[in-house]
Amino acid sequence: MVIEKLRRGEDLPAEWARELFPPEKREYELVYYGKERKEDILAETMAVPLQPVSTFSKNNDNAWHNMLIFGDNLQALKTLLKMKEQGQLVNVDGTPGVRLVYIDPPFATKQEFRGSQDQKAYQDKIAGARFLEFLRKRLVLIQELLSDDGSLYIHLDQRKAHYVKVLADEIFSEHNFRNEIIWRNTNTHNKSDTFGQIHQSVFLYTRSPQYMFTKIYRPRFRKYVESHYRHTDGGGKYRLSDLTGEGKRTGESGQKWKGYDPTEKNRHWAIPGYIYDFVEDDISDLGVIAKLNYLFDHGFIEFPDNAGGQPQIKRWEHLGMGNPIQDLWAYQPYTQNIYAGSEEAIDQDVSWAISKKEDAVYPTQKPEGLLARVIAASSTEGDVVLDCFAGSGTTLAVAEKLGRRWVGIDCGKLAIYTIQSNYSA
């Protein structure tokens, strides 16, 4: 009956929907014309043989050569998937698959983009449902390509970000969605009819709940340092923090020490946990009083000048990692080192990435500092990093500088020429 109705072009009765598509099997999905089954995408996508043209490897690793692939990234992804299955696509620790994928795909702008010398770069003409299925097919293969603890960053703008979020939830499971990173890519955008659009979104997904991630820190803001680190000694600028916590204790943390009794102020000795990372010896197993004596002997404790005050612990500006990066990335492309006299700063460990102005020779080129954060957070040295919309090759350049293996794919001649020229330089 179903077949006959479909042949006649008739709609199926609405009450059949529950029988044909049980809601308990699929809570929700984005429905659009031309959407294919995941199984069909994996089975029907053709793999293409890779013909070596140039070798990109500077790490003297004979078992691996970085790959720049010219062609359809869908077919190239299928080839890489076969390489993974055959044990030819592995990270330095032997883990099969790609540890990190970053993609900056077309944004469905319906525009044609040209290079700095007016060369044709690429056409972003696919829109609507065709764009969604175009990207979804690649996400399906990327999900299979990732190592079990791998991560995917999807860079988009407001045009299609929310549609792609739903698609990525279907493919990766919304439980493996980790962050929407807001990247402020410009200061102002003059629009007379609405708010200026000055940000883009980067979605972070992982293949499983067990994933690789390294917290990234940035230097403290200048105004924060000026307002909090107001004291100076031989170790530099420092701030003072409480050495006691609220509430009385009957144990050792409530005992008198050097004439100070914390219980008189309804408090107890509470040594901050961060201090153990900064002392030369392991004092974690010492008693409270012994720890206080050690910290005092090594210059970490300062006594108050005023009567009735309590001892406080020093925290020097140079100690610690700074401020952890959150999901709002507010630095600009082509940042000129650390802003002098500004509240903005860059990551300490990737400061090389945005220490000088970068020449934007390719349209929609992203700054190295942006990719440095991504690569440093979700991979380690020797891991495989993939960008299948390689464009200007920023991902590949940063991966090289950070000691990662890399694979880049693009179908544009200008992209391949730009990457080869930058690499040979």
Side-chain angles (χ1 to χ4, degrees):
M1 187 184 301
V2 170
I3 293 173
E4 290 302 317
K5 282 185 172 289
L6 292 176
R7 283 175 175 170
R8 292 194 297 267
E10 299 176 5
D11 292 332
L12 298 178
E15 60 270 19
W16 290 8
R18 176 170 290 275
E19 298 300 324
L20 293 172
F21 309 104
E24 62 274 11
K25 291 186 177 181
R26 181 172 291 171
E27 187 175 355
Y28 56 81
E29 68 171 317
L30 185 63
V31 179
Y32 54 85
Y33 176 76
K35 186 174 183 179
E36 299 181 21
R37 295 193 318 141
K38 176 181 177 180
E39 295 80 5
D40 293 338
I41 294 171
L42 291 171
E44 297 175 7
T45 300
M46 292 179 57
V48 294
L50 304 180
Q51 302 296 328
V53 176
S54 300
T55 297
F56 296 90
S57 184
K58 295 181 179 179
N59 55 16
N60 298 318
D61 183 357
N62 294 326
W64 173 265
H65 293 292
N66 296 324
M67 291 183 284
L68 176 59
I69 303 172
F70 174 46
D72 181 357
N73 58 7
L74 185 64
Q75 294 179 322
L77 288 171
K78 182 63 176 289
T79 302
L80 293 174
L81 182 56
K82 287 185 175 295
M83 291 176 61
K84 176 187 176 183
E85 295 168 351
Q86 295 166 2
Q88 299 172 348
L89 188 66
V90 295
N91 299 285
V92 73
D93 63 357
T95 307
V98 176
R99 189 85 74 194
L100 167 64
V101 178
Y102 167 87
I103 58 172
D104 178 20
F107 288 178
T109 62
K110 300 182 181 180
Q111 298 179 23
E112 179 176 307
F113 291 89
R114 307 188 73 83
S116 59
Q117 305 299 318
D118 201 37
Q119 319 97 308
K120 180 179 178 181
Y122 66 92
Q123 289 186 326
D124 184 9
K125 296 298 182 68
I126 303 176
R130 287 181 61 225
F131 171 82
L132 294 177
E133 188 63 4
F134 164 85
L135 188 54
R136 176 174 169 269
K137 287 181 177 180
R138 285 142 183 87
L139 293 178
V140 165
L141 286 163
I142 288 171
Q143 198 269 346
E144 297 290 326
L145 260 178
L146 283 172
S147 62
D148 290 341
D149 58 354
S151 302
L152 164 66
Y153 290 76
I154 313 171
H155 193 138
L156 296 160
D157 71 0
Q158 71 280 356
R159 292 180 182 86
K160 287 290 183 288
H162 306 92
Y163 296 97
V164 175
K165 170 69 168 62
V166 178
L167 291 179
D169 283 346
E170 293 177 20
I171 296 167
F172 287 83
S173 168
E174 67 174 304
H175 300 295
N176 290 323
F177 170 69
R178 304 299 165 198
N179 283 109
E180 178 183 5
I181 299 163
I182 301 299
W183 178 50
R184 192 187 73 197
N185 61 315
T186 186
N187 277 322
T188 59
H189 193 288
N190 295 324
K191 291 180 73 70
S192 60
D193 56 347
T194 185
F195 300 108
Q197 298 160 354
I198 64 170
H199 85 275
Q200 295 174 358
S201 295
V202 183
F203 295 131
L204 168 57
Y205 283 86
T206 60
R207 182 168 180 179
S208 71
Q210 288 73 45
Y211 55 95
M212 179 178 293
F213 185 80
T214 302
K215 188 174 285 293
I216 304 297
Y217 295 83
R218 66 184 300 160
R220 300 177 183 93
F221 294 132
R222 178 183 58 81
K223 286 188 177 180
Y224 178 84
V225 172
E226 290 177 353
S227 62
H228 289 76
Y229 292 82
R230 300 190 300 269
H231 310 278
T232 305
D233 64 6
K237 293 182 179 181
Y238 67 92
R239 60 177 295 187
L240 294 172
S241 301
D242 286 340
L243 194 53
T244 60
E246 292 186 4
K248 295 181 179 180
R249 297 288 189 273
T250 57
E252 192 177 3
S253 62
Q255 293 181 7
K256 290 184 179 180
W257 178 71
K258 292 190 178 297
Y260 292 90
D261 184 359
T263 61
E264 292 180 352
K265 296 184 178 296
N266 195 36
R267 299 181 71 82
H268 65 279
W269 299 115
I271 300 170
Y274 64 78
I275 203 68
Y276 301 125
D277 295 330
F278 307 141
V279 298
E280 295 181 0
D281 304 300
D282 183 7
I283 64 172
S284 57
D285 293 332
L286 297 179
V288 175
I289 300 302
K291 289 178 181 177
L292 291 172
N293 288 330
Y294 177 94
L295 294 173
F296 174 75
D297 292 341
H298 288 78
F300 280 90
I301 294 178
E302 182 172 298
F303 287 95
D305 294 329
N306 59 311
Q310 294 291 316
Q312 292 185 298
I313 195 161
K314 293 181 178 180
R315 183 166 186 172
W316 286 276
E317 180 190 357
H318 68 273
L319 295 179
M321 301 295 291
N323 301 115
I325 300 297
Q326 308 298 319
D327 63 1
L328 178 60
W329 295 4
Y331 64 75
Q332 305 305 308
Y334 323 126
T335 306
Q336 295 283 2
N337 214 322
I338 298 178
Y339 288 98
S342 167
E343 293 187 20
E344 306 249 12
I346 59 175
D347 309 2
Q348 291 166 313
D349 58 336
V350 293
S351 58
W352 53 265
I354 45 179
S355 60
K356 62 184 180 62
K357 185 176 178 62
E358 300 164 26
D359 294 326
V361 298
Y362 192 86
T364 69
Q365 180 174 321
K366 301 303 182 290
E368 290 191 2
L370 176 69
L371 272 301
R373 282 188 175 180
V374 169
I375 293 172
S378 294
S379 68
T380 59
E381 287 192 24
D383 285 343
V384 180
V385 176
L386 167 67
D387 186 344
C388 56
F389 294 90
S392 65
T394 302
T395 305
L396 316 181
V398 177
E400 179 78 29
K401 292 178 181 179
L402 292 179
R404 273 59 167 176
R405 304 174 176 189
W406 55 261
V407 179
I409 311 171
D410 207 288
C411 63
K413 292 181 179 179
L414 178 60
I416 299 299
Y417 172 77
T418 300
I419 295 169
Q420 288 178 319
S421 298
N422 290 340
Y423 197 94
S424 60

